[in-house]
Amino acid sequence: MKKFNIRKVLDGLTAASSSSSANAQPGTPRENDVVQETLQSEHFQLCKTVRHGFPYQPSSMAFDPVQKILAIGTQAGALRLFGRAGVECYCQHESNAAVIQLQFLINEGALVSALADDSIHLWNLRQKIPAILHSLKFNRERITYCHLPFQSKWLYIGTERGNIHIVNVESFTLSGYVIMWNKAIELSTKTHPGPVVHISDNPMDEGKLLIGFESGIVVLWDLKCKKADYRYNYDEAIHSVAWHHEGKQFVCSHSDGTLTTWNVRTPAKPAQIITPHGKQPKDGKKPEPCKPILKVEYKTTRAGDPFMVLSGGLSYDTVGRRACLTVMHGKSTAVLEMDYPIVDFLTLCETPYPNDFQEPYAVVVLLEKDLVVIDLGQIGYPIFESPYPLTIHESPVTCCEYFADCPAEVIPALYSVGCRQKRQGYSKKEWPISGGNWGQGTQTYPEIIITGHADGSIKFWDASALMLQVLYKLKTAKVFERARGKEEKPNTDIVDEDPFAIQTLSWCPESRMLCVAGVSAHVIVYRFSKQEITTEVLLEVRMQSEFSDVDSPDPGGEQTPTLPTPGASSSPQESELPTQPSTGSNSSDGPRDNIPCLHSPLKQSPGYQVELVIQLVWVSGEPPQQITSLAINSSYGLVVFGNSNGLAVVDYLQKTLLFHMGTSELYSPSDPFQRQPRSPRKAKPSGGELHSTSSTTLAADPLSSYINGPCTHLTSFTSTTSHRCSIEVSTGKFGGQDQQLFIFLEIFGDNSFTRSRSSSVTSIDRESREAISSFYYCESFPRKTDSLVSPCLLVGTTHGSVMMVALNLPPAGDQRLQQPVGIASCGTLVKLKGGILTMSLLDATGTLLPPSFEQWYDPNASDEEKEKGRKRRPASPPSSQESQDTHFAILCSEKQAKVVALPSQTRIYKHSITETSFVLRADVVQMAGANCIACFCANGHIMTLSLPSLRPLLDVNYLPLTDMRIARTFCFSNLGQALYLTSPTEIQRITYSQETCDNLQEMLSELFTPVETPEAPNRGFFKGLFGGGAQSLDREDLFGETAAGKASRSLAQHIPGPGNMEGMKGAASGVVGDLARARIALDERGQKLGELEERTAAMMASAESFSKHAHDVRAWHLFERLYNFFSFSAYHINPDSHFFPTLLPSDDAEIQR
C-alpha cells in the first residue's frame, strides 16, 4: 500500500491556490532553506530614460540662436531637442498629431508648437523634462502658419480661412484684434485669397505686418491703422517670403520655380523675377517653368554679397535627380545634392535681431532620414561632422544586443580602431548647435550596444551615462563577393533583398570574440586584433553528405553512421549530389551557395578580422533554413548554431565540424519527450547544407571527435538514415600560415517529408517543425550520476525541450589544436510550455555562473604577448558531495519558468508567467547585487522574477506589441537597463531599477542655460537724429483687452498644462538637485530684486501723487480761510469772479455758518 504523505498534499494545495506564486517540487526545501534572496519589489520601478537616433518622420524644425538649441517635430507629435554632443531630450504631445511648426521664445527657455489638430502648446524648457504650460485648441479654423517676433509676447496665428488671430503667449489667451481676409485684400477681388502661408513683421517697422496668401497675394498690413498699406499680386502661388534686413525689399518663392523681388513702396510689379534653375531661351521669352521653390531665405552680410538659400526649383527634365539645396552668393550658385528629400532648412546667423546684418554662417538641413549642417564660411560648403547618433538607421536595424557593465578596456579598444574609419572632408569648425549642459549622474559603468543591420554591417555603440556614440563599424559583406553582372545576380525568389542582413549575433566582451549569423544562413566568426593582416590564398574545404532511407533499421536499436575515410572520393561529381539552382558560380567544383566567397587576397584592417566563415547551402532545390540560435565560447573554442533542421558544433580553433544532428535525434530512444515521425511517407532527404571557411588542416575524421570522447552514451545518434560523405581538401596560406578560411558543409534535419514547395503538408510541417531556439555553455553536471562538473551545453528548442550535451575538451596548448573535442548528447533535462528563450546556471548560494571565457589577446601579436593574455577562466570547483544538488539550472520559455537542481535533475520551482499571451524576450540579469529573470510579453507587460524562487517582483503593463520590430530588438541587460527600437530610426532606453529612476533627474542633461541676450544693433547718430532705424510698437496698446476687447469664446479653448517650476523643484533630488535648487533660489532672488525695484518705482510714483494731492489740500485750506474772512466781513462773493471759481455759498445762512 502506498504511503500517504500529508506534505505533498499541502504543497499541492499551496500551488493550486496561487497562480502567481512559485511552485515547489514536493519534498524539496522551500526558498528560504535553499538561497537567501535579497531582491524585493522595492528595488524595481519602470520608466523611460532617453531616446537616441534620428527623429522618425520629421515634419518641422526651429532653432534658438542664443541658447543654440535645435528642436525637431515629427508627424507622430514627438519633439526632439538637441544641444551639444550628449545633450538630447525627447517629449511627446498627448494627441500624437503632426507638428506643423515650431517657434522658440528666443533665450526665454520656452517653445511654442503648432499641431495638425489645430492646437498650439507652450513648452517649458527650463526643466530637465520639458512640460506643457498652456495649450490652446482652435475649434472653428485650421492653423496654417505661426509667427512670433523676437522679444514679443504676441503670437500671430494664420488660418486656412485667411484670417490672422493673435495670442498672448504669457497667458495663452486670444486677443480681440483679428485681421480678416476680406479686409486685407482689395474689394474688387472676386475670389478667396487662400490660406495664410506667411506672416512676418517689417524688420524696421514692427507696426507693419507682411501677410502672404497661397493664391499669390501679399499684403502689407498697418497694425495701428488696421488697414492694408500695399498689396502685391503675382500669378503663381506663393510658398514662402523672406525680408531684406533693411525692410525695403522682400523675396517670394513661387510654385513655377521663380523668385520675385519686390520693393515695398512699388507694389505694381516685381523689381526682379528670376528662375534659378530654368533654361533661359535665346529669344528672350519667359523661361520654362520648374518645380516649386518650397522655401527661400535672404540673409545679408556686412562685408560682401548677401546669401540666398532655397530648396526645390529644379527643372522638370531632371527626372530621378535627388533633392537639392541651392546657395546663391553673389554671382555664384552652388547646387548641393542631398541623400533624402528635404523637409525644412534654417540659416543660422550671428544675431537674433532681424533688423541687423544677419551674417549667416551655417545652414541646417532637415531631411527625411538625416540631419545635415552646411558650413557657409568655407569654400565648397563642406558639412559639419555630426556628434549625434543619427546613423542608427543608415541601414535598417535587424537585431540588437545590450551589454551593461562590460570590461572597461573594451570601449577604448573599439574607439581606437573605429576612429580610423571616420570620413574625411568635414568642416574644421566646431559643431554650431552647442547649447545645454550634460547631466551630473554617478552612473559610470561602461555600456555597449551592438546593432546588426540589413546590409550586413554591425555597429558598436558606447551607451555609457545615457549617451550614445558610435565606436566601430564592421562590414560582414566584405567576406563575400557580390554578383558582377545582371545575369549573375541572385534570384529574388531565392534570397531576400538583403542577403547579408544580420539575423542574430553572439559576443563575448571579455575575449572580444564575435559570432554573427545572417539571413542567408551563414555564420562568421571574428577575432579582435589591433594589427593589420592580409590573406594571400584562401583554402576551401567542401564536405557533402547524403542521407538515404533504410527500410529496416538495425535490430540493436543503434546504428553507427558511416564515416568518411581517407580513401573516399574527393570529387564532388562522384557522389550523387542533389541538383541545385544556378546562383552566381558556375565553377566545376559542384553547386555553390547563392553568395560566392571572396577570393584572395583579403586585406583585413585593425579591428574585427575574419576567423571562420560557415555557409549553409541549397539541397535538393530547397533553400537552407535560417539560423535561429547562435552561441560562441572563447574558452572552449567552439561555435554552436541551430535552425529548424537541427544543430551543428564547429571547432573554430581546428576549423572542423565536430557535431551535427537533427533535432529529433537529440532525444534518446527512452526519452519520454521523444517526438515521433509526423508522416509515414518516405522520400529523399533535404535540408540545409553547411558551408564553412577555415584556417587549419581539417581533421582526417571530423565525425570521430564525438565518438572518441569520454561520453559513450550515443543513443541520441539513433537514426533511420545512413550517412555518405565526400571531402575535398586543398591547401593554401592564410597570413603566412597553412590555414583554411572557408569550409562548405551540408546538414540535414528530419527526413520524413519530401521537401516540395507545392505540398501544403510540407508548409504545415515547416511551421510545426521543432527548431533550436537557444544555447547556453556552462560547467555543470551533464548526467544525474555525475559527481564532478565538466563543460557542457544546454540546448533549448521551440517546443520547450531542454537537452544537455556533454563536451570533452583536450588540454590547453598544442594538444587542444591537435586532439579532437568529444561531444555526446545526454538526453532531455526538462520540458516546458512554449519555446525556450533563455537558460542560465546558479551555484548553491544563488550566484550566477556565467559561461567560461578566455581573456583577450591579440592573435597577431608575438608569442610571448599571446601567452600573457591567454589565461583561461578557472572552472567551477568540483563538488565533493554527491548526494547534494550544488547547481540550479534557470530555464525560461514563452509561457513559464522553471528551476531545476543539478545533478539530480529535479524541478524545485515553477512559475507560470502568462496564460493568455507569450513571452517575447527573457534574460537572466544581475540587479542590486543579486539575480533575477526579466521578461517582456507580447501583451506589453514587463515582469521580473526572483531567483531561484521565481517570486514575482515587478509586473507593469508598459508597451503592447504593435510592431514586430519591437519584438526583434527588445533586450534586457544588467543593472536594470533595457532597450528596444521604438521606430525604424530610434532606440528607446528604459530602466526597471528603482535606484536609476531616483537618480534620473541628476543624470539627464539640461537644455536651458542662463545666457545674456546680445545687445540690439546701434541705430547710429544720424538715424537717431532724423528718425531712421527700427520703429518700435507697443503691442499691448493694440492687442490688449482694454484696446481690442475679448475674443469669441467659441473660437478657441484654453487648456492649462501640467508643467511648472514647482514640479521641477519637487522632482529634483540629491546633490545636483540641491545645486539646482540653489540656482533656482538665485533666480528667484533676482526676480524678487526686480520686483523690489518695481515696487520702489511704484512707491516713488505714489509719493509724487501724494505730493500733488497735499498741494491741492493746502490750496483748499487757503481757500477756506479766505472764504471765512470775506464772509465775516459781510461781503457777498460774485459768482462770476475768477478769484474763486468753485463751491461758492448760496445764501447768507451758509455764509454765517
Side-chain angles (χ1 to χ4, degrees):
M1 183 176 177
K2 189 176 180 180
K3 186 177 179 180
F4 180 78
N5 192 335
I6 187 64
R7 184 172 182 177
K8 292 184 178 181
V9 177
L10 293 176
D11 286 341
L13 290 174
T14 304
S17 63
S18 177
S19 60
S20 63
S21 61
N23 297 332
Q25 181 74 7
T28 58
R30 298 300 296 173
E31 53 191 73
N32 293 331
D33 299 334
V34 179
V35 174
Q36 186 67 34
E37 297 180 2
T38 58
L39 281 181
Q40 303 296 330
S41 300
E42 293 75 20
H43 291 98
F44 295 89
Q45 182 182 346
L46 189 69
C47 68
K48 295 181 180 179
T49 53
V50 290
R51 180 173 294 196
H52 302 296
F54 181 78
Y56 183 57
Q57 295 181 336
S59 56
S60 58
M61 179 173 58
F63 181 71
D64 188 327
V66 180
Q67 287 288 321
K68 307 288 185 182
I69 295 292
L70 180 73
I72 297 177
T74 72
Q75 295 181 17
L79 283 180
R80 295 286 302 279
L81 296 110
F82 298 92
R84 66 178 63 187
V87 176
E88 297 181 39
C89 183
Y90 161 79
C91 39
Q92 178 73 42
H93 294 90
E94 290 185 1
S95 64
N96 298 327
V99 181
I100 60 175
Q101 197 172 353
L102 296 171
Q103 288 277 327
F104 271 103
L105 276 69
I106 296 176
N107 203 26
E108 295 291 337
L111 175 71
V112 174
S113 58
L115 306 189
D117 64 352
D118 308 312
S119 63
I120 56 175
H121 307 270
L122 178 65
W123 290 85
N124 178 19
L125 306 183
R126 292 178 177 250
Q127 54 195 68
K128 290 192 172 183
I129 302 178
I132 294 177
L133 293 173
H134 299 282
S135 298
L136 196 65
K137 180 72 167 64
F138 281 75
N139 299 321
R140 296 183 300 182
E141 296 195 51
R142 303 295 307 273
I143 298 175
T144 57
Y145 195 85
C146 300
H147 171 63
L148 181 65
F150 178 48
Q151 293 182 330
S152 170
K153 67 175 182 179
W154 297 97
L155 174 70
Y156 300 101
I157 305 289
T159 67
E160 194 175 36
R161 293 185 181 180
N163 303 325
I164 295 178
H165 302 277
I166 302 169
V167 177
N168 186 327
V169 294
E170 291 181 350
S171 60
F172 248 54
T173 55
L174 274 173
S175 168
Y177 192 110
V178 181
I179 304 174
M180 306 298 292
W181 66 270
N182 54 355
K183 299 288 184 64
I185 64 174
E186 295 181 3
L187 296 176
S188 59
T189 304
K190 298 180 180 180
T191 58
H192 191 277
V196 176
V197 296
H198 178 82
I199 305 172
S200 61
D201 47 353
N202 189 315
M204 287 295 180
D205 189 353
E206 296 176 352
K208 302 298 174 63
L209 196 68
L210 194 69
I211 307 169
F213 297 94
E214 189 180 57
S215 62
I217 299 174
V218 179
V219 176
L220 186 66
W221 182 265
D222 190 323
L223 292 171
K224 292 181 179 179
C225 300
K226 299 183 180 180
K227 66 181 183 67
D229 280 353
Y230 301 102
R231 298 179 178 91
Y232 314 86
N233 295 292
Y234 194 71
D235 297 336
E236 298 294 334
I238 288 178
H239 285 276
S240 68
V241 182
W243 277 102
H244 187 280
H245 84 277
E246 292 180 349
K248 298 178 181 178
Q249 283 186 336
F250 60 89
V251 179
C252 301
S253 68
H254 299 276
S255 57
D256 62 345
T258 59
L259 293 174
T260 57
T261 304
W262 299 82
N263 291 325
V264 171
R265 298 184 180 277
T266 55
K269 64 176 183 179
Q272 185 183 27
I273 302 176
I274 61 172
T275 307
H277 297 286
K279 296 180 181 179
Q280 300 292 337
K282 296 182 180 179
D283 53 3
K285 294 183 179 179
K286 187 178 180 181
E288 295 180 1
C290 296
K291 297 177 183 178
I293 297 178
L294 302 177
K295 185 175 182 180
V296 62
E297 290 198 350
Y298 191 18
K299 304 299 179 181
T300 56
T301 60
R302 295 182 186 274
D305 297 318
F307 282 87
M308 194 173 291
V309 186
L310 54 101
S311 63
L314 298 178
S315 59
Y316 282 101
D317 58 1
T318 56
V319 179
R321 188 173 181 181
R322 294 185 292 183
C324 295
L325 186 80
T326 304
V327 180
M328 303 171 65
H329 183 218
K331 296 182 179 180
S332 68
T333 301
V335 181
L336 309 176
E337 283 194 349
M338 303 294 163
D339 293 334
Y340 306 101
I342 297 175
V343 176
D344 195 5
F345 73 88
L346 293 170
T347 306
L348 307 188
C349 302
E350 296 288 352
T351 176
Y353 294 94
N355 57 357
D356 193 12
F357 287 98
Q358 301 299 292
E359 302 294 344
Y361 59 89
V363 179
V364 181
V365 188
L366 178 63
L367 309 178
E368 282 188 359
K369 295 183 179 181
D370 201 2
L371 182 71
V372 178
V373 182
I374 301 168
D375 186 357
L376 294 179
Q378 294 189 27
I379 300 175
Y381 304 129
I383 65 173
F384 290 88
E385 184 178 8
S386 175
Y388 308 137
L390 302 181
T391 59
I392 293 174
H393 64 287
E394 190 174 19
S395 176
V397 177
T398 55
C399 71
C400 190
E401 294 295 335
Y402 190 9
F403 300 88
D405 200 17
C406 55
E409 65 274 6
V410 174
I411 291 179
L414 290 170
Y415 180 80
S416 65
V417 295
C419 63
R420 306 178 188 180
Q421 300 176 332
K422 290 187 177 180
R423 290 173 48 191
Q424 303 297 323
Y426 288 112
S427 172
K428 297 180 180 178
K429 297 181 181 178
E430 293 184 358
W431 181 251
I433 305 169
S434 56
N437 286 320
W438 295 318
Q440 303 294 329
T442 57
Q443 182 177 318
T444 57
Y445 51 84
E447 300 173 78
I448 289 181
I449 297 173
I450 304 179
T451 54
H453 299 264
D455 63 352
S457 62
I458 296 175
K459 292 182 180 179
F460 292 79
W461 305 83
D462 179 9
S464 306
L466 296 186
M467 297 185 185
L468 194 68
Q469 180 184 8
V470 66
L471 292 172
Y472 175 72
K473 182 179 179 180
L474 173 65
K475 296 181 179 179
T476 64
K478 285 185 176 181
V479 178
F480 306 100
E481 59 183 8
R482 295 180 180 270
R484 297 180 181 177
K486 293 183 179 179
E487 69 279 2
E488 297 179 358
K489 288 186 177 179
N491 191 338
T492 54
D493 296 332
I494 297 174
V495 294
D496 296 330
E497 294 181 0
D498 301 305
F500 307 109
I502 305 300
Q503 181 84 7
T504 184
L505 60 89
S506 175
W507 186 55
C508 176
E510 289 79 12
S511 65
R512 306 182 196 174
M513 291 295 298
L514 174 67
C515 187
V516 299
V519 294
S520 298
H522 61 272
V523 177
I524 309 176
V525 180
Y526 289 91
R527 279 188 186 272
F528 185 83
S529 176
K530 295 183 179 180
Q531 301 182 19
E532 182 179 286
I533 60 172
T534 302
T535 303
E536 298 179 6
V537 180
L538 301 184
L539 169 69
E540 293 186 356
V541 178
R542 186 174 180 86
M543 298 175 58
Q544 294 178 331
S545 308
E546 257 191 15
F547 289 91
S548 58
D549 291 334
V550 178
D551 294 333
S552 57
D554 189 355
E558 294 187 11
Q559 191 163 349
T560 305
T562 305
L563 302 177
T565 61
S569 171
S570 61
S571 172
Q573 286 81 2
E574 293 183 20
S575 61
E576 298 179 4
L577 297 177
T579 58
Q580 304 231 9
S582 175
T583 58
S585 178
N586 300 321
S587 59
S588 62
D589 63 346
R592 295 287 300 274
D593 181 65
N594 52 320
I595 303 178
C597 297
L598 186 66
H599 56 77
S600 63
L602 177 64
K603 183 179 180 181
Q604 303 204 69
S605 302
Y608 275 100
Q609 300 170 349
V610 179
E611 175 80 4
L612 177 69
V613 180
I614 307 164
Q615 175 69 57
L616 291 172
V617 293
W618 287 60
V619 176
S620 301
E622 287 293 320
Q625 299 297 314
Q626 289 189 351
I627 294 169
T628 56
S629 56
L630 176 72
I632 188 171
N633 188 281
S634 58
S635 180
Y636 303 158
L638 301 179
V639 171
V640 59
F641 57 93
N643 58 13
S644 58
N645 287 337
L647 64 86
V649 181
V650 174
D651 185 342
Y652 67 80
L653 297 178
Q654 298 184 22
K655 310 300 187 294
T656 56
L657 173 69
L658 298 176
F659 178 87
H660 68 88
M661 182 173 287
T663 310
S664 61
E665 295 176 307
L666 288 171
Y667 294 96
S668 62
S670 60
D671 200 325
F673 306 113
Q674 183 180 13
R675 298 180 57 80
Q676 300 298 326
R678 291 179 292 276
S679 171
R681 295 172 54 186
K682 292 184 179 181
K684 271 185 174 172
S686 86
E689 279 187 86
L690 188 64
H691 141 172
S692 128
T693 332
S694 141
S695 70
T696 61
T697 308
L698 183 68
D701 190 355
L703 297 180
S704 64
S705 58
Y706 56 74
I707 294 177
N708 298 333
C711 297
T712 57
H713 181 67
L714 295 177
T715 56
S716 62
F717 289 92
T718 301
S719 174
T720 59
T721 61
S722 63
H723 297 256
R724 189 170 62 216
C725 302
S726 66
I727 306 176
E728 180 185 359
V729 180
S730 59
T731 58
K733 290 188 177 181
F734 176 77
Q737 300 177 357
D738 289 340
Q739 293 182 338
Q740 49 199 37
L741 187 61
F742 290 86
I743 305 175
F744 301 84
L745 307 169
E746 292 181 5
I747 289 185
F748 296 86
D750 259 331
N751 314 312
S752 54
F753 274 114
T754 301
R755 309 304 182 196
S756 170
R757 289 182 183 272
S758 61
S759 172
S760 60
V761 179
T762 303
S763 62
I764 296 173
D765 172 61
R766 281 198 187 114
E767 293 298 325
S768 61
R769 195 185 307 173
E770 186 173 16
I772 306 298
S773 59
S774 64
F775 296 108
Y776 188 77
Y777 289 100
C778 59
E779 295 186 2
S780 188
F781 307 93
R783 303 173 194 79
K784 291 183 179 180
T785 57
D786 289 342
S787 59
L788 299 177
V789 297
S790 62
C792 51
L793 174 68
L794 288 172
V795 180
T797 72
T798 54
H799 288 179
S801 296
V802 178
M803 289 160 282
M804 187 78 82
V805 175
L807 307 174
N808 183 26
L809 300 171
D814 294 338
Q815 296 183 56
R816 174 64 184 85
L817 301 177
Q818 297 172 1
Q819 297 181 14
V821 177
I823 301 178
S825 176
C826 301
T828 305
L829 177 65
V830 71
K831 177 81 172 181
L832 284 77
K833 291 182 181 179
I836 303 298
L837 297 178
T838 188
M839 300 176 288
S840 191
L841 196 69
L842 302 180
D843 65 8
T845 63
T847 303
L848 185 67
L849 297 176
S852 58
F853 58 84
E854 185 180 56
Q855 289 293 340
W856 175 79
Y857 67 94
D858 197 326
N860 301 315
S862 62
D863 294 338
E864 294 181 0
E865 294 181 2
K866 286 184 181 180
E867 291 302 323
K868 289 180 182 178
R870 297 187 67 169
K871 294 180 181 178
R872 180 175 169 182
R873 181 179 177 272
S876 301
S879 173
S880 60
Q881 302 177 5
E882 298 185 10
S883 60
Q884 185 177 355
D885 294 326
T886 58
H887 286 175
F888 300 109
I890 311 301
L891 313 169
C892 185
S893 71
E894 296 172 331
K895 292 287 187 179
Q896 59 184 194
K898 288 184 180 181
V899 176
V900 178
L902 299 176
S904 66
Q905 298 186 4
T906 57
R907 173 179 60 82
I908 59 172
Y909 295 106
K910 173 185 174 182
H911 177 76
S912 179
I913 300 174
T914 177
E915 294 292 342
T916 59
S917 184
F918 58 94
V919 180
L920 292 168
R921 177 72 185 237
D923 289 290
V924 177
V925 295
Q926 294 178 337
M927 173 85 177
N931 306 298
C932 64
I933 299 178
C935 306
F936 173 59
C937 296
N939 59 8
H941 283 253
I942 291 180
M943 294 174 281
T944 58
L945 306 174
S946 68
L947 288 178
S949 66
L950 301 180
R951 288 181 299 107
L953 299 173
L954 175 73
D955 188 352
V956 178
N957 188 2
Y958 171 70
L959 178 73
L961 181 64
T962 56
D963 197 325
M964 282 306 297
R965 176 186 61 253
I966 298 174
R968 189 176 64 247
T969 58
F970 200 105
C971 50
F972 294 97
S973 187
N974 293 329
L975 305 176
Q977 306 298 324
L979 63 82
Y980 60 93
L981 210 67
T982 184
S983 73
T985 63
E986 295 170 291
I987 287 178
Q988 178 67 57
R989 294 169 66 177
I990 62 175
T991 181
Y992 49 95
S993 166
Q994 177 69 55
E995 182 182 2
T996 305
C997 291
D998 292 341
N999 298 327
L1000 185 60
Q1001 281 286 337
E1002 298 180 8
M1003 298 162 61
L1004 292 176
S1005 55
E1006 289 182 302
L1007 291 171
F1008 179 80
T1009 54
V1011 179
E1012 290 187 7
T1013 303
E1015 293 184 2
N1018 189 5
R1019 296 176 60 187
F1021 174 75
F1022 290 103
K1023 286 185 178 181
L1025 182 63
F1026 297 106
Q1031 301 295 321
S1032 61
L1033 173 70
D1034 190 352
R1035 296 184 176 91
E1036 185 69 33
D1037 290 344
L1038 286 176
F1039 307 144
E1041 186 175 333
T1042 56
K1046 292 184 178 180
S1048 172
R1049 292 185 178 181
S1050 61
L1051 181 62
Q1053 177 186 2
H1054 176 255
I1055 305 170
N1060 51 55
M1061 291 293 288
E1062 294 298 323
M1064 182 182 68
K1065 294 177 186 177
S1069 60
V1071 177
V1072 178
D1074 294 335
L1075 293 176
R1077 283 193 293 271
R1079 186 162 56 190
I1080 294 170
L1082 287 175
D1083 293 340
E1084 291 177 347
R1085 183 172 179 270
Q1087 199 171 16
K1088 290 178 180 178
L1089 288 174
E1091 293 173 357
L1092 179 62
E1093 185 177 357
E1094 291 175 358
R1095 286 199 298 268
T1096 303
M1099 290 176 65
M1100 290 178 64
S1102 177
E1104 186 177 353
S1105 176
F1106 178 81
S1107 174
K1108 181 179 178 182
H1109 285 296
H1111 180 73
D1112 293 340
V1113 170
R1114 182 173 178 276
W1116 173 252
H1117 282 288
L1118 179 61
F1119 164 75
E1120 282 188 334
R1121 291 175 62 186
L1122 292 174
Y1123 181 83
N1124 292 332
F1125 173 77
F1126 284 109
S1127 63
F1128 282 109
S1129 301
Y1131 284 104
H1132 290 278
I1133 299 173
N1134 184 6
D1136 296 331
S1137 173
H1138 296 287
F1139 189 73
F1140 297 113
T1142 57
L1143 297 177
L1144 294 178
S1146 58
D1147 53 20
D1148 292 341
E1150 286 291 328
I1151 294 173
Q1152 291 295 330
R1153 185 181 64 81

